[in-house]
Amino acid sequence: MNAIHNFVRVSLPNYFRSIPLPKDIYGFRDLSGPEILRLVAFVVLVVVILYSLFHSLAGFGSNSNAGAKQPSADSEKAKDQLVNMTVEKDKDKVVTARDIEDLGDKAVFCRCWRSAKFPLCDGTHNKHNKDTGDNVGPLVIERKPKEPESKKDD
């Protein structure tokens, strides 16, 4: 604890006092080489810290889904690339499991992520395809018809 106290109370203030900040714009021409290097190092450090803070906090707090992950700094580009716009945005990954026995003879699953009945398809992809020129369609799973018993023995 004493080391942290010394750093905050002694070392940090001494470091800030040692930074050669000129009183006006003309004071920069009077700086020596080592003073310029100390000033440049300080400016680079501040820029890196601010850049890191900005990118780690960018986008957070703007969505009503608390805890949901947000696109990073290139948020406009990232939003254009999103596939899932509304389904379970509070989760890291959307996973839906179904027992194959429960599917019946046919099941139609959404692949456009816009279905109100997700994970089942409700035909919303038709409007999406018309609006965007895309060609996405559903995943259709059908049970093969059972072969008659007499053919199996041949």
Side-chain angles (χ1 to χ4, degrees):
M1 204 61 177
N2 194 26
I4 295 172
H5 179 268
N6 284 340
F7 177 75
V8 171
R9 293 296 214 158
V10 178
S11 298
L12 210 50
N14 287 342
Y15 173 72
F16 287 132
R17 275 193 292 275
S18 74
I19 297 171
L21 290 174
K23 294 192 188 306
D24 59 21
I25 193 77
Y26 300 109
F28 283 102
R29 66 179 176 198
D30 298 332
L31 293 176
S32 67
E35 289 175 325
I36 291 173
L37 287 177
R38 280 201 320 261
L39 186 58
V40 167
F42 174 73
V43 169
V44 168
L45 176 68
V46 169
V47 167
V48 167
I49 290 171
L50 291 175
Y51 179 85
S52 299
L53 277 172
F54 173 75
H55 283 283
S56 66
L57 299 176
F60 283 100
S62 62
N63 193 338
S64 60
N65 291 332
K69 289 189 175 183
Q70 298 295 318
S72 62
D74 297 326
S75 60
E76 288 304 314
K77 183 178 177 185
K79 283 181 183 178
D80 289 342
Q81 296 175 355
L82 286 179
V83 174
N84 177 9
M85 302 301 227
T86 59
V87 178
E88 299 179 29
K89 295 299 282 183
D90 58 325
K91 296 182 179 178
D92 288 337
K93 185 190 312 184
V94 178
V95 178
T96 305
R98 296 279 191 253
D99 288 331
I100 198 157
E101 292 82 15
D102 296 340
L103 295 180
D105 291 334
K106 182 178 179 180
V108 184
F109 292 97
C110 175
R111 291 196 299 185
C112 73
W113 289 86
R114 285 155 178 80
S115 172
K117 297 180 354 182
F118 190 87
L120 301 175
C121 177
D122 67 357
T124 304
H125 60 272
N126 293 318
K127 180 179 181 326
H128 166 76
N129 289 345
K130 185 178 179 185
D131 292 346
T132 65
D134 204 352
N135 66 347
V136 68
L139 168 65
V140 179
I141 299 176
E142 292 183 283
R143 189 179 306 274
K144 288 184 180 179
K146 292 184 179 179
E147 294 181 22
E149 292 293 325
S150 63
K151 285 190 174 183
K152 287 185 179 178
D153 294 334
D154 291 340

